Amino acid sequence: MSAIMQSGNLFSLLKLLWRHVGLKRRQQLTLVFSMMVVASFTEMLSVGALLPLLSMLTSQDHQLTYKYVQVVFDFFSLTRPNDFLLLMTIFFILTVIFSGVIRVLLLWMQVRISHSLGSDFSNDIYKRTLYQPYAIHVSRNSSEVIAGVSNKVNSVVESIIMPTLVILSSALMITSFTII
């Protein structure tokens, strides 16, 4: 595995790791990916809510001529442009808060799944180590084996799995912003 890490081919390493991911973790990764899509949508919504608010702040009287503004005025029984500005501000604040909560939840899910995968990899490696012939166990120092496995799995989690999830999430956000 260290040869793959040294060669720098991330996709080969991810394919190798994917073969060792169980069904439960694959389902959890699907859920994390779904949450990435939701987070990118909420980010897009919060940025989209900023533009009408800024437009309203720059020229309130001009905005009253748009049909959608009149529909909002009628729906909420607003009488003054300042009421609409207050409504737009509240909507913007709520979307930013909601988007922030979703992003924090996504980050929590990414960290949790990354470390769960690391735990699964560690368990698999320890099982394989335990079932090796007795002669191999006698020739090795068990504390060095445990430390080596722990260090390598932590390295995979911190330098491959977590960054890959963050990059994927960021790529979805960038894609959603280019769609706007």
Side-chain angles (χ1 to χ4, degrees), residues 135-150:
I136 292 176
H137 288 288
V138 172
S139 66
R140 291 185 183 163
N141 183 351
S142 62
S143 64
E144 289 177 5
V145 172
I146 292 170
V149 168
S150 295

PDB file of all heavy atoms in Angstrom, residues 135-150:
ATOM      1  N   ALA A 135       4.951 -18.978  13.665  1.00  0.00           N
ATOM      2  CA  ALA A 135       6.358 -18.599  13.454  1.00  0.00           C
ATOM      3  C   ALA A 135       6.488 -17.102  13.159  1.00  0.00           C
ATOM      4  O   ALA A 135       7.450 -16.460  13.589  1.00  0.00           O
ATOM      5  CB  ALA A 135       6.947 -19.420  12.314  1.00  0.00           C
ATOM      6  N   ILE A 136       5.540 -16.558  12.464  1.00  0.00           N
ATOM      7  CA  ILE A 136       5.575 -15.120  12.161  1.00  0.00           C
ATOM      8  C   ILE A 136       5.347 -14.310  13.433  1.00  0.00           C
ATOM      9  O   ILE A 136       6.009 -13.295  13.660  1.00  0.00           O
ATOM     10  CB  ILE A 136       4.536 -14.774  11.072  1.00  0.00           C
ATOM     11  CG1 ILE A 136       4.955 -15.403   9.756  1.00  0.00           C
ATOM     12  CG2 ILE A 136       4.368 -13.279  10.934  1.00  0.00           C
ATOM     13  CD1 ILE A 136       3.971 -15.226   8.636  1.00  0.00           C
ATOM     14  N   HIS A 137       4.444 -14.762  14.297  1.00  0.00           N
ATOM     15  CA  HIS A 137       4.176 -14.050  15.553  1.00  0.00           C
ATOM     16  C   HIS A 137       5.412 -14.056  16.457  1.00  0.00           C
ATOM     17  O   HIS A 137       5.680 -13.072  17.147  1.00  0.00           O
ATOM     18  CB  HIS A 137       2.993 -14.680  16.295  1.00  0.00           C
ATOM     19  CG  HIS A 137       1.678 -14.399  15.648  1.00  0.00           C
ATOM     20  ND1 HIS A 137       1.081 -13.172  15.675  1.00  0.00           N
ATOM     21  CD2 HIS A 137       0.836 -15.205  14.939  1.00  0.00           C
ATOM     22  CE1 HIS A 137      -0.067 -13.209  15.022  1.00  0.00           C
ATOM     23  NE2 HIS A 137      -0.237 -14.448  14.563  1.00  0.00           N
ATOM     24  N   VAL A 138       6.133 -15.164  16.479  1.00  0.00           N
ATOM     25  CA  VAL A 138       7.318 -15.275  17.330  1.00  0.00           C
ATOM     26  C   VAL A 138       8.420 -14.359  16.826  1.00  0.00           C
ATOM     27  O   VAL A 138       9.159 -13.763  17.626  1.00  0.00           O
ATOM     28  CB  VAL A 138       7.800 -16.751  17.386  1.00  0.00           C
ATOM     29  CG1 VAL A 138       9.127 -16.877  18.105  1.00  0.00           C
ATOM     30  CG2 VAL A 138       6.752 -17.616  18.059  1.00  0.00           C
ATOM     31  N   SER A 139       8.520 -14.177  15.510  1.00  0.00           N
ATOM     32  CA  SER A 139       9.612 -13.379  14.949  1.00  0.00           C
ATOM     33  C   SER A 139       9.358 -11.872  15.011  1.00  0.00           C
ATOM     34  O   SER A 139      10.283 -11.084  14.831  1.00  0.00           O
ATOM     35  CB  SER A 139       9.862 -13.797  13.499  1.00  0.00           C
ATOM     36  OG  SER A 139       8.743 -13.456  12.704  1.00  0.00           O
ATOM     37  N   ARG A 140       8.143 -11.440  15.282  1.00  0.00           N
ATOM     38  CA  ARG A 140       7.809 -10.014  15.302  1.00  0.00           C
ATOM     39  C   ARG A 140       7.540  -9.532  16.721  1.00  0.00           C
ATOM     40  O   ARG A 140       7.044 -10.270  17.562  1.00  0.00           O
ATOM     41  CB  ARG A 140       6.554  -9.734  14.476  1.00  0.00           C
ATOM     42  CG  ARG A 140       6.735  -9.908  13.015  1.00  0.00           C
ATOM     43  CD  ARG A 140       5.468  -9.483  12.324  1.00  0.00           C
ATOM     44  NE  ARG A 140       5.554  -9.687  10.891  1.00  0.00           N
ATOM     45  CZ  ARG A 140       4.521  -9.713  10.089  1.00  0.00           C
ATOM     46  NH1 ARG A 140       3.310  -9.546  10.578  1.00  0.00           N
ATOM     47  NH2 ARG A 140       4.668  -9.892   8.808  1.00  0.00           N
ATOM     48  N   ASN A 141       7.810  -8.257  16.911  1.00  0.00           N
ATOM     49  CA  ASN A 141       7.470  -7.595  18.165  1.00  0.00           C
ATOM     50  C   ASN A 141       6.025  -7.110  18.027  1.00  0.00           C
ATOM     51  O   ASN A 141       5.716  -6.297  17.166  1.00  0.00           O
ATOM     52  CB  ASN A 141       8.427  -6.428  18.434  1.00  0.00           C
ATOM     53  CG  ASN A 141       8.156  -5.748  19.749  1.00  0.00           C
ATOM     54  OD1 ASN A 141       7.155  -6.010  20.416  1.00  0.00           O
ATOM     55  ND2 ASN A 141       9.071  -4.871  20.135  1.00  0.00           N
ATOM     56  N   SER A 142       5.135  -7.596  18.882  1.00  0.00           N
ATOM     57  CA  SER A 142       3.704  -7.291  18.737  1.00  0.00           C
ATOM     58  C   SER A 142       3.411  -5.801  18.898  1.00  0.00           C
ATOM     59  O   SER A 142       2.518  -5.262  18.233  1.00  0.00           O
ATOM     60  CB  SER A 142       2.884  -8.102  19.738  1.00  0.00           C
ATOM     61  OG  SER A 142       3.243  -7.773  21.052  1.00  0.00           O
ATOM     62  N   SER A 143       4.136  -5.112  19.750  1.00  0.00           N
ATOM     63  CA  SER A 143       3.875  -3.678  19.926  1.00  0.00           C
ATOM     64  C   SER A 143       4.260  -2.899  18.676  1.00  0.00           C
ATOM     65  O   SER A 143       3.603  -1.911  18.334  1.00  0.00           O
ATOM     66  CB  SER A 143       4.621  -3.139  21.143  1.00  0.00           C
ATOM     67  OG  SER A 143       6.009  -3.244  20.960  1.00  0.00           O
ATOM     68  N   GLU A 144       5.290  -3.340  17.963  1.00  0.00           N
ATOM     69  CA  GLU A 144       5.664  -2.674  16.709  1.00  0.00           C
ATOM     70  C   GLU A 144       4.602  -2.911  15.643  1.00  0.00           C
ATOM     71  O   GLU A 144       4.291  -2.018  14.859  1.00  0.00           O
ATOM     72  CB  GLU A 144       7.017  -3.178  16.223  1.00  0.00           C
ATOM     73  CG  GLU A 144       8.174  -2.700  17.066  1.00  0.00           C
ATOM     74  CD  GLU A 144       9.507  -3.281  16.610  1.00  0.00           C
ATOM     75  OE1 GLU A 144       9.543  -3.980  15.566  1.00  0.00           O
ATOM     76  OE2 GLU A 144      10.508  -3.034  17.290  1.00  0.00           O
ATOM     77  N   VAL A 145       4.048  -4.118  15.610  1.00  0.00           N
ATOM     78  CA  VAL A 145       2.990  -4.421  14.639  1.00  0.00           C
ATOM     79  C   VAL A 145       1.762  -3.557  14.917  1.00  0.00           C
ATOM     80  O   VAL A 145       1.191  -2.950  14.001  1.00  0.00           O
ATOM     81  CB  VAL A 145       2.620  -5.926  14.686  1.00  0.00           C
ATOM     82  CG1 VAL A 145       1.390  -6.205  13.833  1.00  0.00           C
ATOM     83  CG2 VAL A 145       3.792  -6.774  14.237  1.00  0.00           C
ATOM     84  N   ILE A 146       1.354  -3.480  16.176  1.00  0.00           N
ATOM     85  CA  ILE A 146       0.182  -2.681  16.545  1.00  0.00           C
ATOM     86  C   ILE A 146       0.409  -1.211  16.237  1.00  0.00           C
ATOM     87  O   ILE A 146      -0.460  -0.540  15.658  1.00  0.00           O
ATOM     88  CB  ILE A 146      -0.166  -2.894  18.035  1.00  0.00           C
ATOM     89  CG1 ILE A 146      -0.672  -4.320  18.247  1.00  0.00           C
ATOM     90  CG2 ILE A 146      -1.200  -1.880  18.501  1.00  0.00           C
ATOM     91  CD1 ILE A 146      -0.824  -4.702  19.699  1.00  0.00           C
ATOM     92  N   ALA A 147       1.580  -0.699  16.583  1.00  0.00           N
ATOM     93  CA  ALA A 147       1.883   0.714  16.313  1.00  0.00           C
ATOM     94  C   ALA A 147       1.924   0.978  14.812  1.00  0.00           C
ATOM     95  O   ALA A 147       1.412   2.003  14.340  1.00  0.00           O
ATOM     96  CB  ALA A 147       3.200   1.097  16.956  1.00  0.00           C
ATOM     97  N   GLY A 148       2.504   0.051  14.058  1.00  0.00           N
ATOM     98  CA  GLY A 148       2.570   0.223  12.605  1.00  0.00           C
ATOM     99  C   GLY A 148       1.198   0.248  11.967  1.00  0.00           C
ATOM    100  O   GLY A 148       0.913   1.088  11.110  1.00  0.00           O
ATOM    101  N   VAL A 149       0.341  -0.665  12.381  1.00  0.00           N
ATOM    102  CA  VAL A 149      -1.015  -0.712  11.832  1.00  0.00           C
ATOM    103  C   VAL A 149      -1.767   0.563  12.191  1.00  0.00           C
ATOM    104  O   VAL A 149      -2.411   1.185  11.334  1.00  0.00           O
ATOM    105  CB  VAL A 149      -1.762  -1.963  12.346  1.00  0.00           C
ATOM    106  CG1 VAL A 149      -3.244  -1.879  12.030  1.00  0.00           C
ATOM    107  CG2 VAL A 149      -1.159  -3.222  11.752  1.00  0.00           C
ATOM    108  N   SER A 150      -1.685   0.967  13.440  1.00  0.00           N
ATOM    109  CA  SER A 150      -2.397   2.178  13.875  1.00  0.00           C
ATOM    110  C   SER A 150      -1.919   3.398  13.107  1.00  0.00           C
ATOM    111  O   SER A 150      -2.738   4.211  12.646  1.00  0.00           O
ATOM    112  CB  SER A 150      -2.194   2.402  15.371  1.00  0.00           C
ATOM    113  OG  SER A 150      -2.781   1.365  16.098  1.00  0.00           O
TER     114      SER A 150
END
